[in-house]
């Protein structure tokens, strides 16, 4: 049996004051035909990264809407996660090798996990490339409505990786992508749903936190509250470009010597490469004591991440490639304009000049950071627009409604 993730109870009605009664009533109505439908989400990790973050809320809310939903996590060791990390990068276009041995490892772990997967479900949602072979290797009566949820951008994949993965992906009738253009060529689905990720406005990370409290947390990590703070919250990963953020910060610091930078990143259990990149980031920071590189081993959990997002003067997300960028959503929701890389789902969230700025270079990132630090009034105004943009488009209730609509179409 695969590990089932234990989940807290969550209640849709608690979201009504934020999104409105009508939204909640609609969800309940649309969920009527799906009462007690057995749903399982399967992914690679119960914590770290955006997928785990979303399932943490979506699955309990599916339950509150009357579905019999659960979440299971596949098993793997470093040899498997090294391959899946390469697959994550390769499917997003990185020029890396895919050896026969890597293919064998991926197949072996997918077969093993498929054998351990038990239960009979109405809807099975497989998240991302790690467990994508679960349908191919399925055993017995697991159910026949399978969807593959792709959280990454496979529009320009490395052909070696795409040729290997596409046949497994093609076995699914239903696929969910974040953006239509993310679908790689040569795969065809009977049903293609476009669903953007969302955040939970009531999670410890996103629920309202008094500014003083947030500032207290940040001060506890050694940042000086009398001086401006810029931050990026992200895994330590080349696509998130923490080194570029340091370079941009250095340009800002030339003009504004008092500025401080916090780079906050969690180390996910399925991301062995993270340690290498963390090390690289620390070395790039050198002996500048105004650069604070922090991760979950310093006790930076969800609550602290929320505090950093709330207490920063400017939030940066300088991604070069990005699936969607939940950290952008989280910061916008806290009323912060975000300076983000013009990549993936970031432009859906950052309306350039309104909710933040889209940048495609270190220099532009530095310029916009400085502009916002020098004009707090404008930053505040943009922050208000940012929060409203998220409220309307990127909260978890919208996500739940999209899944319910999809399941109804698959039924
Ligand atoms: N995150 C976190 N702690 C950290 C770094 C990231 O809790 O130190 C969370 C972050 O708040 C967000 C998720 O991990 O909810 C990352 O999602 P995103 O879509 O930004 O990127 P991904 O890691 O999935 O590529």
């Amino acid at each position: 049996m695969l590990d089932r993730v234990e989940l807290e109870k969550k209640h849709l009605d608690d979201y009504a004051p934020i999104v409105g009664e009508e939204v909640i009533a609609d969800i309940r109505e649309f969920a009527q035909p799906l009462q007690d439908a057995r749903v399982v989400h399967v992914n690679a990790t119960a914590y770290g990264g955006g997928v785990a973050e979303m399932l943490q809320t979506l699955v309990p809310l599916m339950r509150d809407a009357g579905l019999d939903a659960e979440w299971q996590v596949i098993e793997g060791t470093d040899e498997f996660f090294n391959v899946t990390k390469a697959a994550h990068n390769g499917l997003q276009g990185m020029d890396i090798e895919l050896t026969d041995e890597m293919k064998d490892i991926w197949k072996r772990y997918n077969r093993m996990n498929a054998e351990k997967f038990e239960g009979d479900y109405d809807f099975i949602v497989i998240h991302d490339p790690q467990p994508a072979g679960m349908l191919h290797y399925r055993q017995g009566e697991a159910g026949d409505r399978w969807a593959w949820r792709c959280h990454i951008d496979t529009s320009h994949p490395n052909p070696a990786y795409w040729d290997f993965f596409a046949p497994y992906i093609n076995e699914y009738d239903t696929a969910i992508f974040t953006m239509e253009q993310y679908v790689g060529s040569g795969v065809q689905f009977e049903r293609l749903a476009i669903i953007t990720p969302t955040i939970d406005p009531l999670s410890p990370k996103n629920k309202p936190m008094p500014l003083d409290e947030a500032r207290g947390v940040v001060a506890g990590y050694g940042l000086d509250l009398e001086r401006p703070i810029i931050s990026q919250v992200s895994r330590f990963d080349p696509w998130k470009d923490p080194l570029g953020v340091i370079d941009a910060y250095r340009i800002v610091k030339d003009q504004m010597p008092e500025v401080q930078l916090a780079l906050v990143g969690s180390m996910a259990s399925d991301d062995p490469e993270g340690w290498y990149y963390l090390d690289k980031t620390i070395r790039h920071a050198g002996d500048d004591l105004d650069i604070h590189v922090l991760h979950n081993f310093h006790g930076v959990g969800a609550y602290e991440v929320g505090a950093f997002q709330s207490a920063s003067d400017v939030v940066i997300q300088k991604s070069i490639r990005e699936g969607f960028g939940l950290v952008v959503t989280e910061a916008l929701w806290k009323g912060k304009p975000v300076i983000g890389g013009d990549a993936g789902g970031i432009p859906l969230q950052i309306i350039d000049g309104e909710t933040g700025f889209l940048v495609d270079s270190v220099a532009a990132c530095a310029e916009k950071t400085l502009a916002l630090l020098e004009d707090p009034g404008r930053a505040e105004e943009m922050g208000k627009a940012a929060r409203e943009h998220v409220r309307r488009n990127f909260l978890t209730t919208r996500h739940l409604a999209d899944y319910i609509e999809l399941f109804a179409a698959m039924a």
Side-chain angles (χ1 to χ4, degrees), residues 37 51-52 121 131-132 136 167 214 255 267 297 331 342 381:
V51 180
Y121 298 96
H136 181 80
Q255 309 280 318
M267 311 306 297
F297 285 39
D342 191 357
E381 203 152 295

Side-chain angles (χ1 to χ4, degrees), residues 48-51 53 88 199 205 233-235 240 264-267 294-296 300-302 305 309 317 322-328 330:
V51 180
E53 182 80 16
H88 178 97
I199 58 163
K205 186 180 298 173
V233 175
S234 265
R235 288 182 294 108
K240 311 285 185 188
V264 180
S266 72
M267 311 306 297
L294 301 166
H295 53 78
N296 43 338
V300 186
V305 164
Q309 290 166 331
Q317 187 54 44
E322 188 58 76
F324 180 67
L326 280 173
V327 281
V328 173
E330 292 160 5

